[in-house]
Amino acid sequence: MWDYLQHLAFWDWLAVGTLLLILEVFGAGGYLLWIGLAAAGVGVLTYLFPELPWALQFLLFGLFSVLTAVLWWRRQRTAAKPSDQPGLNARGSELLGREFPLHEAISGGRGKIKAGDTLWLVSGPDLPTGSRVRVVGQDGVLLRVEAAA
């Protein structure tokens, strides 16, 4: 093993890089992409400088891996922009603070309101059908309401 490490060829690095890139295709989420490219980069350097010591090859591999991952992470952070539809995947959040008549009376702490074409399950104090309630919170698909003034 020691003898093998001391005589690493560029093919070895390219093979490791290719293997990592193939594994990335199977869903590693981008983590192996940068390590695979770092291995390919060390392979190119080993091709250009065949007498590169094995310790330096591993040092460069580690350095390139960290460098490419950090650069990608920084680029992703600066490229992120706020959504033009912040409530897109937070269904019901647009109802907070609005008032609705009760569609079904709140009995035992549960009732329903109709918002648009959707019936929502609500929790709050017992109130009769038709009472106006204000949405004050949300727990998943359950809206918390209070009697509107």
Side-chain angles (χ1 to χ4, degrees), residues 73-93:
W73 178 75
R74 287 186 64 206
R75 186 211 175 277
Q76 288 294 89
R77 285 186 44 110
T78 59
K81 63 175 185 163
S83 173
D84 59 343
Q85 297 179 350
L88 182 62
N89 290 324
R91 190 150 186 246
S93 63

Side-chain angles (χ1 to χ4, degrees), residues 68-139:
T68 56
V70 168
L71 288 175
W72 180 251
W73 178 75
R74 287 186 64 206
R75 186 211 175 277
Q76 288 294 89
R77 285 186 44 110
T78 59
K81 63 175 185 163
S83 173
D84 59 343
Q85 297 179 350
L88 182 62
N89 290 324
R91 190 150 186 246
S93 63
E94 73 275 2
L95 303 176
L96 294 176
R98 292 182 51 196
E99 291 184 13
F100 299 95
L102 278 175
H103 186 71
E104 289 182 17
I106 299 178
S107 175
R110 298 275 198 250
K112 292 183 181 178
I113 62 171
K114 187 167 188 169
D117 62 351
T118 306
L119 283 176
W120 286 87
L121 184 62
V122 296
S123 68
D126 289 353
L127 294 168
T129 302
S131 299
R132 302 254 337 142
V133 293
R134 178 180 302 110
V135 179
V136 294
Q138 182 179 9
D139 294 317

